Structures are given as C-alpha cells and as structure tokens.
C-alpha cells in the first residue's frame, strides 16, 4: 500500500482542487448546480482517484486509477476553457489553472508509463 500524500502529483492536484473551489465561488448563482458543480467534481476526482489507486494491491490497478484521474483532468481543462469563453473567469485566472492542469497531466502520464513498463 502506497501513501498517496507522498506523491507530488497528488499534492499538486489537491492544490488545483483548492484553487478551483476558490475560483468558482465567484460564478453566477444560477451556475451553482451547473458548471460550478461539474468543475468541483472533476477537480476533486483527480486527487481522489490517485488516493484510491494507492490503496490497490497492484501497479496495474494503480495505473488504471491514474488513467481515470487523467480523464478528469481533461474534463476540467475543457470546463476552464468554457468558463473563460463565457466570461465566468478571466483569461489570466484560466491560464493559471490550465498551466496547473498541464503539469498534472504530464506527471500522471509519466507515472502511468512507469507503472505499465516497470523494467523500462
């Protein structure tokens, strides 16, 4: 069993989730159950799946949960682009979040690759 808190990708994705929660506070109230809710769910899904994968018994299972995290990161990426286009967040705010997501996706991809190719 691995301690998910020791993984830098979990730490960064947890911080991203905190940042998303701060940003969506300023969304229109009518978005509370729409885009706001979706963004909270997608952002928190990234570190949640890393944590769940760490509790699994094999690297293969862990990699599967990391792939789910990667999908959630892609989903959040689009939601941020949409939020920028709808003027719910500024271009600058969005870019900060998108840079965080890109870094997390690279880290997830590297970890998935290492887990799927343990000898390489």
């Amino acid at each position: 069993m691995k301690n998910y808190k020791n993984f830098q990708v979990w730490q960064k994705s947890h911080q991203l989730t905190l940042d998303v929660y701060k940003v969506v506070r300023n969304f229109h109230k009518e978005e509370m159950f729409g885009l706001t809710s979706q963004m909270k769910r997608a952002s928190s899904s990234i570190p949640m799946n890393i944590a769940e994968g760490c509790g699994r018994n094999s690297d293969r299972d862990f990699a599967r949960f990391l792939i789910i995290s990667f999908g959630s990161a892609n989903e959040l990426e689009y939601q941020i682009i949409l939020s920028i286009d709808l003027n719910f967040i500024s271009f600058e705010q969005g870019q900060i979040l998108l840079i965080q997501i890109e870094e997390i996706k690279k880290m997830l991809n590297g970890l998935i690759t290492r887990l799927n190719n343990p000898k390489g």
Side-chain angles (χ1 to χ4, degrees), residues 11-27 36 39-40 43-44 47 76 80 89 92-101 103-104:
Q11 295 165 10
K12 289 184 179 288
S13 61
H14 175 67
Q15 184 58 55
L16 173 65
T17 302
L18 297 174
D19 293 345
V20 166
Y21 268 71
K22 288 176 192 168
V23 167
V24 299
R25 280 188 205 143
N26 299 320
F27 279 26
T36 301
M39 290 176 72
K40 288 179 175 180
S43 66
S44 63
L76 179 62
I80 291 167
I89 59 174
E92 293 77 20
Q93 282 179 309
Q95 287 306 304
I96 291 168
L97 295 172
L98 291 172
I99 289 168
Q100 287 176 273
I101 292 169
E103 182 180 16
I104 289 165

Side-chain angles (χ1 to χ4, degrees), residues 2-90:
K2 301 165 185 67
N3 184 344
Y4 62 89
K5 292 179 239 165
N6 292 337
F7 284 88
Q8 189 175 24
V9 68
W10 178 87
Q11 295 165 10
K12 289 184 179 288
S13 61
H14 175 67
Q15 184 58 55
L16 173 65
T17 302
L18 297 174
D19 293 345
V20 166
Y21 268 71
K22 288 176 192 168
V23 167
V24 299
R25 280 188 205 143
N26 299 320
F27 279 26
H28 302 290
K29 293 295 180 206
E30 63 266 11
E31 283 299 324
M32 185 182 305
F33 300 108
L35 191 55
T36 301
S37 176
Q38 289 287 332
M39 290 176 72
K40 288 179 175 180
R41 185 195 58 75
S43 66
S44 63
S45 177
I46 301 167
M48 282 184 199
N49 277 292
I50 294 168
E52 186 171 356
C54 281
R56 299 300 170 143
N57 291 329
S58 71
D59 286 348
R60 184 176 177 172
D61 281 343
F62 185 26
R64 188 168 52 86
F65 280 91
L66 294 176
I67 291 167
I68 295 167
S69 290
F70 194 94
S72 295
N74 281 332
E75 181 181 353
L76 179 62
E77 182 177 48
Y78 170 70
Q79 292 163 344
I80 291 167
I81 292 167
L82 179 60
S83 297
I84 294 167
D85 290 347
L86 293 171
N87 295 313
F88 290 169
I89 59 174
S90 70

